[in-house]
Amino acid sequence: MILRDVTLIDGDEKWRGAIQYDPETGSITDVGDPSRDAEDEPVVSLPGRTVMPGLVDAHVHFSLSGEASVEDVVGMSDAELALVEARNARRTLEAGVTGVRAMGARDVDPELKRAVERGDVPGPRMVANCRSVTVTGGHGHHLGREIDGPWDARRAVREQLKRGADFVKFMTTGGVTTPGTEPDAVAVTDEELEAIVDEAHRRGVHAATHAHGAEGAKAAARAGVDTVEHGTFLDDEAIDLLLERDVTLVPTLSAPYHIVRNLDAATEESARKTRSVYERHIESFRAAVEAGVRVAGGTDAGTPFNAHGANAAEVAFMAEYGMTPLSAIRAMTETAAAAVGLEGSGTLEPGTHADLLVIDGDPAEDLTRLNDPAAVIKGGEVVAGALPDRE
Ligand SMILES: [Zn+2]
């Protein structure tokens, strides 16, 4: 299959050309201006359109569906949770997100990942974990694994990997959505942090941490964490540490945006916490971008009012608050795929998955065009929208 006469966006480059992929193997075979004889191959011309890699969202919660209170989900059985997650995965894929890192709930996410890989349910390619590791009573404890002390922390990590987790997520600070925890307080001890990160790396998986406050981000960076989620109150020292330790920031600008716009419906506690963090979050992101911190796009989709399928808005937020449009696109394709370990995703390189978006017009000129792709292709198969008729 050849898509030609099209604008191609890959990394932070944009050019006119063509792309060829093999629907049988699901891989990209040539990029640029395929000159191979196309006699026995379908060709589609897409003048006025752009082809780019499918989005990769580095931070989603399929277990949550934008409820005002995360606690609504706690009472669900695993069966209910699995059905909800399958629906959210489908919505995400149809919106143009062909890869995600799913922050898990109980043991459902690795099962969902296997179901998607078998083709039983539609969804993006997934890197998934099980329970997040948190201190007793800490952020996310309802669906997480509570720990006390470094040996318990190691055991918690081992349990997650035994159950099929691809990475380890842990909570360094309190959170907006968990009552009784404060976003800028450091919840874990250095000994616990070191145990969690060391155990993850020993087993060859990456470690991601939820961290709002600067002290939490610093402690996690010192312990060797791979990605910092949110990074809401980063100061200069925290930014220097992220740079020095080669840590990727996943800013999740969508999360506070949606709560701030729904303060009337939010719980009183999450409204109070979000009001105080939103402006600071944007400043923190701007400063990190200016300093050159590596940023991967992630939405925190599923958190209050943050719907699955609205993921592309994160690209526009990153561009609004300091990145160029092409660097924001790169953050939510190539950089996100590399940060979460989704190999073969996020670029147009030959040999990688033919996970492609066909966009009307040029998204680099208008990022809102990403919200409604004309076609979503995963592994060489059109999974949403449609391509024009072949020539
Ligand atoms: Zn999250």
Side-chain angles (χ1 to χ4, degrees):
M1 170 68 90
I2 294 175
L3 308 179
R4 72 172 180 203
D5 193 13
V6 71
T7 300
L8 297 168
I9 291 179
D10 189 25
D12 46 19
E13 289 179 50
K14 187 174 94 168
W15 70 101
R16 295 287 299 173
I19 181 164
Q20 181 186 40
Y21 62 89
D22 181 349
E24 295 295 312
T25 63
S27 297
I28 295 169
T29 44
D30 200 1
V31 176
D33 201 2
S35 52
R36 211 171 304 175
D37 185 8
E39 254 170 40
D40 54 351
E41 193 168 357
V43 176
V44 176
S45 286
L46 297 168
R49 291 185 169 179
T50 300
V51 171
M52 57 175 273
L55 295 176
V56 175
D57 191 325
H59 190 135
V60 301
H61 295 267
F62 284 149
S63 55
L64 311 174
S65 305
E67 298 87 349
S69 166
V70 170
E71 292 180 58
D72 292 352
V73 176
V74 178
M76 285 186 185
S77 67
D78 282 358
E80 265 181 295
L81 206 51
L83 292 165
V84 164
E85 292 208 7
R87 179 201 61 197
N88 291 340
R90 175 174 51 74
R91 285 184 181 163
T92 301
L93 176 65
E94 288 172 354
V97 179
T98 54
V100 300
R101 180 174 57 174
M103 303 304 182
R106 303 204 284 257
D107 297 340
V108 176
D109 292 72
E111 294 288 355
L112 176 65
K113 174 187 164 177
R114 286 190 279 274
V116 169
E117 285 174 351
R118 287 192 301 266
D120 293 347
V121 295
R125 298 179 201 279
M126 290 173 68
V127 171
N129 79 339
C130 301
R131 293 170 184 265
S132 290
V133 176
T134 189
V135 297
T136 295
H139 178 54
H141 66 86
H142 304 93
L143 294 164
R145 161 67 157 87
E146 295 173 293
I147 56 133
D148 289 291
W151 283 106
D152 193 29
R154 285 188 189 274
R155 184 179 176 105
V157 170
R158 291 169 184 166
E159 284 170 7
Q160 307 318 305
L161 295 172
K162 183 178 178 186
R163 292 184 170 128
D166 296 317
F167 67 99
V168 173
K169 159 109 183 270
F170 61 97
M171 311 300 195
T172 300
T173 69
V176 169
T177 53
T178 305
T181 71
E182 285 304 326
D184 57 356
V186 182
V188 278
T189 65
D190 287 346
E191 291 77 10
E192 288 164 333
L193 278 177
E194 278 155 25
I196 294 166
V197 175
D198 178 64
E199 198 60 39
H201 288 172
R202 216 171 257 277
R203 300 288 296 273
V205 301
H206 77 268
T209 193
H210 161 103
H212 289 295
E215 296 312 314
K218 289 176 210 174
R222 285 191 196 101
V225 74
D226 301 283
T227 68
V228 164
E229 315 298 308
H230 319 304
T232 311
F233 307 111
L234 299 176
D235 58 16
D236 290 346
E237 191 189 2
I239 288 170
D240 286 347
L241 266 168
L242 295 186
L243 285 166
E244 198 179 293
R245 304 292 171 108
D246 202 26
V247 180
T248 302
L249 174 66
V250 182
T252 68
L253 300 171
S254 300
Y257 172 88
H258 291 289
I259 299 178
V260 161
R261 267 146 198 81
N262 290 277
L263 286 179
D264 294 346
T267 65
E268 195 269 320
E269 185 171 345
S270 72
R272 173 181 63 78
K273 289 176 183 170
T274 303
R275 256 191 229 107
S276 75
V277 307
Y278 186 51
E279 292 303 319
R280 191 61 192 83
H281 192 172
I282 289 168
E283 283 170 34
S284 182
F285 171 72
R286 255 187 223 285
V289 169
E290 272 167 29
V293 171
R294 189 192 308 110
V295 171
T299 56
D300 219 358
T303 51
F305 320 106
N306 187 359
H308 294 281
N311 313 61
E314 185 74 18
V315 180
F317 293 142
M318 291 189 288
E320 187 176 344
Y321 299 122
M323 297 179 97
T324 65
L326 283 175
S327 61
I329 289 173
R330 182 182 204 170
M332 207 153 160
T333 52
E334 186 183 346
T335 310
V340 306
L342 269 176
E343 273 157 39
S345 293
T347 82
L348 299 184
E349 272 168 49
T352 65
H353 301 305
D355 294 352
L356 308 171
L357 302 185
V358 179
I359 306 287
D360 286 326
D362 180 353
E365 303 291 327
D366 175 6
L367 287 168
T368 63
R369 292 182 179 279
L370 293 174
N371 297 340
D372 189 17
V376 179
I377 298 167
K378 182 189 165 200
E381 186 193 340
V382 177
V383 293
L387 287 173
D389 286 339
R390 294 163 181 190
E391 287 163 14

